[in-house]
């Protein structure tokens, strides 16, 4: 607050200096008296101006309200009591914001406290535009007071020295309306009030679960509304009956730590301590698992999952990361299911809105198997999280509402155990907390902890704009706990005693006192025995309140100390959760170290098929890198990180996504001056991949040829494999099947000479990719059996060595190839599995391709309507990824299906799309098929014979030029049928018989069956 006398210059010119001094002293006295009742502190005098602070040196609730009431009191005191017979008017400006209080200057009455920041200057500028005996406030202050005061909106006001106008309000007078504030977590020991219906519903779900009908309860509510308290009430109700309980707790600081809640629960249940040797951890794990008959393989998987080294009794299978992840999740699921079958199981999953992607994957699997287990799963979350399980038959949704006035009064009365609340105080608390349990509890505690005159009408019990301010006030009244809470808050929601002690740099007795005070005050929980004690703030916002009391420099210092302590003394966190070190070094301002740890975390999650988490970590590293000054070294790091980021983005968004193209363009730009480096090649390869999905084939082909040149210069087998994969597939899309097949075969040969690990940076395995697309080329050129064998080998390779992305890729491409091969049963088999893998791991490109192929197979098998719907759905999903490649193929298979239904107009529209896209993008691999379908379409429209024959002939010519014997056979079969209908049987036989003879009779392909049937009909 800044207060100034109106017309002081004129007054000083008119009065004798001694009289002026009397006026000034009287004015200052009235200001001091007016603000004293509201907790204001006179910081300094500036001539006739006075700077006043509210909220320092100790925080109070509703400082904005206190300041305004103090200002109104000053105006009233000055108005009613002239100073030395001189009428005095004042102007007051009030602004709210964070400041840093400097060291005091002077001593005694001259002692001054200087606030550093824009807020004091803003308050002084607002004072200058106020009318005599009025108060002007800024937007931040206006937001905090709600309806407590009548205010007149002054709009945007230009202020001297500020670059932009400021929105301001003039305070008119106090009103009786109360403010509303945000919620925090409720005290776990508070009584359950107003939740009888919800609790009864939970118990009914539990009863059904005990009878073998697994139940899912989704518990939604705003922060502080009592979700955890309701869960605790359910636990209280069940404590007298036999059951097992599993509880998982998510945290905002570990949203990118894969399976963090699960790992933490296992570690707690197994009573792992920091001092445990690997042998001790293994013993604890064995005792827990073997006594319940857990298989040897599951023991090995869970041990690996918990980073517990297994011995020879529990050999680990040589699994790729994706298979290991899948089998580990299955092992965890079996463990849960077995536990439920032994005894009814209660599973509590709190704060799902903070869960990491892998934990949500496990949760989804759990829910998928819940119906047949005697188990109740309760999932709590905030309203902004949209759970995908709402419509399931086993699901019950509970949304918690605010308490009524009677319920709120009952809760407030129960919070106070030392003495009863007076009716007046109880009424005020109820009126100001708006039915949110956390507001009620925390405001009542705050009043009881420090307000000696709480019953006095002069004591203003204003709920803060956020409960954070209320908690800061509690911290200020607990000096022994405040510094400890600040250090713990920098660590996170939970903090181990060992880490706290390593960071605190304070005597053990002082640390113990602070922790004891923190727990006794109800601000934190304690779990475990020393030295393995772990503390947890009762709510994330309690932690935030403590954290916000730290200056920026203090935060940086604490995060640096935490990061260094973790790096030097906590190897288990370094190995399992490098993102935690990255987080601390980021906030410490240690940019280079933070970047290194974010990259390490990203690479670790790529290896674990946790693509969403990996992308987040790489993006964090790139954001930090952008803060460094430009230089060659920074560009090199940015190039590497951009290439790292592209790998999970390819899986998450698809090869044709805009984000992937942005990565490709940036990587190409950064690699321009890095001739001959691995990064330059990887950047060019990424550019080719993005170009393939979004640009004409000619451009893609040129990029692939460049890759071949770079790879041949390096003589590197991995580069040669990747380059041949790129060129081979580009040739295939261009309709150059023989050349493409030969190049792809060379790519596979190069890839087979080295480990798949050499290709991690590219996000693909050429051994798989070259076989798959090489198989497609062989099939089209007439080598059906050997081509199909290559495709099967590609899928087998993906199962052995690939990630989830690679497996979905192989399966979807196999479905795509056998669709082109005209094999509905085989297409459906691969497509269904591709869809399952892609849905489970959120891989949109391969989900789209699987849907398109399965829709075609369903249509061919007689499920007409559903098959068409799925084809259209898959095509839309494919387009949504941003991919332009295979637009021709999407249209062609739709035309094939539509023609079979006789839907000529729709077939014509899609065939026009296929032809236009082929001509513009150069996707010539289906050129013969487009003309074949055009011939069939023209025949169905009864066009002239020469027109129909012309399209069939052109299709045959194209197929022969491309060496596409399968397409030639397919066109010859269709043309022969048309000729037979015209009674040109000899011409039809002479056309089809030689082509049919090229193929191996023993390979029972659909196209060969169709050709044989036509030949038999021709005699």
């Amino acid at each position: 607050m800044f207060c100034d006398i109106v017309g002081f210059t004129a007054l000083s010119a008119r009065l004798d200096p001694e009289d002026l001094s009397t006026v000034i002293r009287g004015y200052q006295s009235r200001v001091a008296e007016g603000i004293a009742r509201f907790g204001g502190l006179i910081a300094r005098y500036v001539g006739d101006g006075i700077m006043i602070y509210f909220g320092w040196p100790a925080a109070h609730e509703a400082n904005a309200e206190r300041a305004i009431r103090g200002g109104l009191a000053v105006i009233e005191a000055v108005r009613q009591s002239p100073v030395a017979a001189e009428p005095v008017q004042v102007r007051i400006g009030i602004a709210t914001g964070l400041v840093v209080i400097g060291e005091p200057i002077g001593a005694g009455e001259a002692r001054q406290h200087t606030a550093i920041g824009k807020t004091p200057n803003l308050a002084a500028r607002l004072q200058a535009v106020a009318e005599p005996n009025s108060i002007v406030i800024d937007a931040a202050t206006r937001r905090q007071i709600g309806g407590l005061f009548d205010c007149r909106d002054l709009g945007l006001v230009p202020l001297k020295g500020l670059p932009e106008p400021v929105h301001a309000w003039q305070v008119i007078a106090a009103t009786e309306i109360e403010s509303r504030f945000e919620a925090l977590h409720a005290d776990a020991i508070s009584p359950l009030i107003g939740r009888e219906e919800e609790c009864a519903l939970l118990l009914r779900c539990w009863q059904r679960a005990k009878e073998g009908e697994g139940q899912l309860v989704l518990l939604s509510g705003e922060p502080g509304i009592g979700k955890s308290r309701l869960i605790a009430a359910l636990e209280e109700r069940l404590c007298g009956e036999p059951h097992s309980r599993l509880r998982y707790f998510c945290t905002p600081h570990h949203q990118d730590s894969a399976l963090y809640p699960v790992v933490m629960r296992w570690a707690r249940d197994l009573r792992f301590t920091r001092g445990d040797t690997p042998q001790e951890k293994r013993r604890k794990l064995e005792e827990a698992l073997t006594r319940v008959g857990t298989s040897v393989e599951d023991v090995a998987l869970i041990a690996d999952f918990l980073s517990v080294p297994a011995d020879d009794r529990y050999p680990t299978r040589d699994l790729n990361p994706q298979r290991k992840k899948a089998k580990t999740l299955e092992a965890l699921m079996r463990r849960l299911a077995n536990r439920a079958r032994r005894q009814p199981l209660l599973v509590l999953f709190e704060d799902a809105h903070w869960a990491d992607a892998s934990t949500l994957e496990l949760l989804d699997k759990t829910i998928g198997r819940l119906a047949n287990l005697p188990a109740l799963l309760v999932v709590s979350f905030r309203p902004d999280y949209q759970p995908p399980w709402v419509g399931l038959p086993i699901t019950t949704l509970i949304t918690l509402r605010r308490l009524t006035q009677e319920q709120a009064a009952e809760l407030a009365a129960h919070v106070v155990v030392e003495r009863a609340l007076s009716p007046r105080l109880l009424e005020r608390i109820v009126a100001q907390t708006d039915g949110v349990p956390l507001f009620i509890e925390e405001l009542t505690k705050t009043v009881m902890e420090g307000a000696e005159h709480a019953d006095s009408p002069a004591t203003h019990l204003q709920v803060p704009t956020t409960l954070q301010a209320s908690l800061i006030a509690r911290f200020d009244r607990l000096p022994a706990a405040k510094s400890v809470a600040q250090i713990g808050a920098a660590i996170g929601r939970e903090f181990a005693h060992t880490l706290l002690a390593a960071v605190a740099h304070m005597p053990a007795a002082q640390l113990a006192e602070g922790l004891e005070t923190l727990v006794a005050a109800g601000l934190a929980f304690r779990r475990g025995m020393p030295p393995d004690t772990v503390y947890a703030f009762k709510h994330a916002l309690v932690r935030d309140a403590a954290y916000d009391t730290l200056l920026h420099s203090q935060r940086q210092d604490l995060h640096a100390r935490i990061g260094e302590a973790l790096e030097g003394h906590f190897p288990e966190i370094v190995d399992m959760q490098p993102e935690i070190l990255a987080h601390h070094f980021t906030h410490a301002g240690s940019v280079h170290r933070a970047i290194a740890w974010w990259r390490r975390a990203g690479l670790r999650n790529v290896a674990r098929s946790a693509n969403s988490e990996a992308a987040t970590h790489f993006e964090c590293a790139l954001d930090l890198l952008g803060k460094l000054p430009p230089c060659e070294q920074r560009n090199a790091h940015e190039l590497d990180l951009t290439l790292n980021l592209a790998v999970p983005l390819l899986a998450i968004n698809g090869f044709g996504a805009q984000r992937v193209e942005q990565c490709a363009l940036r990587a190409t730009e950064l690699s321009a001056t890095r001739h001959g480096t691995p990064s330059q090649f990887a950047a060019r390869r990424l550019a080719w991949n993005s170009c393939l999905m979004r640009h004409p084939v000619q451009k893609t082909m040129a990029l692939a040829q460049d890759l071949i040149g770079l790879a041949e210069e390096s003589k590197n087998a991995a580069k040669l494999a990747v380059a041949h994969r790129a060129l081979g597939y580009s040739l295939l899309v261009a309709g150059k099947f023989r050349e493409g097949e030969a190049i792809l075969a060379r790519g596979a040969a190069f890839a087979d000479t080295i480990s798949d690990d050499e290709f991690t940076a590219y996000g693909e395995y050429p051994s798989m990719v070259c076989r798959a697309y090489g198989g497609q080329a062989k099939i089209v050129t007439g080598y059906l059996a050997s081509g199909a064998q290559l495709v099967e080998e590609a899928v087998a390779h993906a199962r052995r060595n690939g990630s989830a992305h690679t497996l979905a890729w192989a399966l979807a491409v196999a479905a795509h190839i056998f669709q082109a091969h005209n094999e509905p049963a085989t297409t459906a088999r691969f497509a269904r599995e591709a869809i399952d893998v892609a849905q489970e791991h959120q891989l949109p490109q391969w989900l789209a391709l699987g849907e398109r192929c399965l829709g075609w197979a369903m249509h061919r098998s007689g499920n007409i309507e559903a098959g068409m719907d799925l084809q259209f759905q898959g095509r839309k999903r494919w387009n949504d990824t941003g991919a332009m490649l295979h637009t021709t193929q999407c249209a062609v298979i739709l035309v094939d299906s539509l023609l079979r239904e006789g839907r000529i107009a729709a077939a014509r529209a899609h065939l026009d799309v296929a032809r236009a896209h082929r001509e513009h993008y150069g996707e010539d691999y289906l050129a013969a098929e487009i003309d074949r379908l055009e011939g069939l379409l023209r025949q169905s429209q009864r066009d002239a014979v020469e027109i129909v024959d012309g399209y069939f002939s052109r299709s045959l010519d194209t197929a022969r030029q491309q060496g596409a014997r399968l397409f030639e056979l397919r066109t010859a079969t269709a043309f022969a049928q048309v000729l037979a209908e015209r009674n040109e049987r000899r011409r039809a036989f002479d056309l089809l018989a030689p082509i049919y003879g090229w193929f191996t009779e023993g390979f029972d392909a659909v196209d060969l069956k169709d050709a044989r049937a036509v030949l038999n009909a021709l005699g």
Side-chain angles (χ1 to χ4, degrees), residues 1-3 31 35 40-44 50-54 74:
M1 172 194 292
F2 194 86
C3 181
V31 172
I35 63 103
L41 171 75
I42 294 179
R44 56 194 174 95
I50 305 175
M51 182 64 73
I52 302 155
Y53 302 155
F54 290 85
V74 167

Side-chain angles (χ1 to χ4, degrees), residues 642-874:
T642 301
L643 294 170
N644 291 152
L645 174 61
V647 173
L649 288 184
L650 288 170
I652 296 168
N653 300 305
F655 289 86
Q658 186 70 40
R659 291 185 72 194
V660 174
E661 183 171 48
Q662 290 169 354
C663 277
L665 291 172
R666 183 57 180 157
T668 301
E669 179 184 354
L670 290 166
S671 67
T673 60
R674 303 187 62 79
H675 300 294
T677 65
S679 296
Q680 184 192 39
F681 180 84
R684 296 285 182 87
R685 200 282 317 184
L686 179 60
W688 168 83
N689 215 332
S690 179
C691 182
L692 170 73
M693 303 302 293
R694 298 172 61 86
H695 297 281
V697 174
Q698 293 86 344
K699 183 177 179 181
T700 304
M701 190 83 72
L703 289 172
Q705 294 284 7
D706 289 345
L707 283 177
I708 290 288
L710 289 172
E712 288 177 344
E713 285 179 14
S714 70
K715 308 299 183 185
N716 178 276
K719 291 181 182 180
L720 286 165
V722 170
H724 281 77
R725 167 269 197 270
L727 180 58
Y729 190 62
S730 299
L731 290 165
L732 189 153
V733 174
K736 301 178 185 298
F737 298 110
R738 293 193 186 96
E739 299 96 315
E741 189 276 324
I743 295 292
L744 289 166
R746 288 188 65 192
F750 282 123
D752 289 348
T753 64
I754 55 179
S755 167
D756 275 349
D757 293 341
E758 299 289 330
F759 302 104
T760 302
Y762 303 109
E764 65 179 36
Y765 300 104
S767 291
M768 181 278 286
V769 181
C770 290
R771 281 177 168 79
Y773 295 127
Q776 180 179 9
K778 275 187 170 293
I779 288 172
V780 172
T781 55
Y783 299 96
L784 305 183
S786 59
Q789 179 61 36
L790 275 177
V791 176
E792 294 283 0
E793 288 177 9
V795 174
H797 185 100
R799 293 190 196 281
R800 286 194 311 272
N801 300 317
S803 63
H805 179 235
T806 302
L807 179 58
W809 184 350
L811 292 166
V813 168
H816 167 79
I817 292 169
F818 282 102
Q819 179 276 318
H821 190 190
N822 211 5
E823 294 286 340
T826 309
T827 299
R829 171 167 62 87
F830 283 118
R832 285 194 176 92
E833 189 178 356
I835 289 170
D836 288 344
V837 176
Q839 282 179 330
E840 181 179 356
H841 298 282
Q842 299 178 343
L843 306 170
Q845 179 169 321
W846 307 124
L847 175 58
L849 184 53
E851 287 174 337
R852 285 163 40 200
C853 294
L854 181 58
W856 173 86
M858 291 167 61
H859 187 276
R860 278 297 187 91
S861 301
N863 195 347
I864 304 297
E865 186 174 348
M868 287 301 299
D869 288 345
L870 193 57
Q871 283 190 62
F872 282 115
Q873 176 179 307

Side-chain angles (χ1 to χ4, degrees), residues 927-942:
E929 284 288 86
I930 291 172
D931 283 333
R932 176 182 68 85
L933 291 169
E934 187 73 54
L936 289 173
L937 186 60
R938 298 287 183 153
Q939 173 68 16
S940 67
Q941 293 174 324
R942 303 302 179 191

Side-chain angles (χ1 to χ4, degrees), residues 1-3 71 74-75 90-94 126-127 130 134-136:
M1 172 194 292
F2 194 86
C3 181
V74 167
I75 291 171
V90 295
R91 284 190 289 253
I92 295 175
I94 298 174
L126 290 169
Q127 170 273 143
S134 72
I135 302 171
V136 174

Side-chain angles (χ1 to χ4, degrees), residues 25-42:
R25 286 198 301 271
Y27 152 71
Q28 291 175 342
S29 175
R30 283 162 176 72
V31 172
E33 292 171 0
I35 63 103
R37 288 185 296 144
F38 300 98
L41 171 75
I42 294 179

Side-chain angles (χ1 to χ4, degrees), residues 74-142:
V74 167
I75 291 171
E76 188 64 20
V78 171
R79 177 189 291 123
Q80 293 184 359
S81 304
V83 180
E86 288 289 338
V88 175
Q89 294 179 310
V90 295
R91 284 190 289 253
I92 295 175
I94 298 174
T96 299
L98 292 175
V99 298
V100 175
I101 305 297
E103 291 295 323
I105 302 171
E109 293 184 358
R111 188 178 179 89
Q112 297 184 358
H113 305 271
T114 302
I116 301 169
K118 69 177 183 180
T119 308
N121 184 54
L122 178 57
R125 298 303 183 192
L126 290 169
Q127 170 273 143
V129 300
E131 296 177 358
N133 284 343
S134 72
I135 302 171
V136 174
I137 61 175
D138 71 337
T141 308
R142 180 68 186 87

Side-chain angles (χ1 to χ4, degrees), residues 936-1006:
L936 289 173
L937 186 60
R938 298 287 183 153
Q939 173 68 16
S940 67
Q941 293 174 324
R942 303 302 179 191
D943 281 5
V945 168
E946 55 272 18
I947 294 177
V948 174
D949 289 4
Y951 279 110
F952 282 129
S953 296
R954 190 161 71 176
S955 174
L956 289 170
D957 289 344
T958 299
R960 288 163 184 157
Q961 291 169 8
Q962 294 179 341
R965 288 184 167 185
L966 181 65
F967 294 158
E968 185 179 357
L969 174 67
R970 193 173 296 166
T971 300
T973 302
F975 195 10
Q977 287 178 312
V978 171
L979 293 172
E981 291 172 6
R982 297 186 206 153
N983 206 25
E984 297 182 49
R985 299 172 64 84
R986 169 52 60 185
R987 184 182 171 195
F989 185 86
D990 291 344
L991 169 69
L992 182 57
I995 299 172
Y996 176 77
W998 292 336
F999 292 87
T1000 304
E1001 294 285 348
F1003 194 84
D1004 199 19
V1006 170

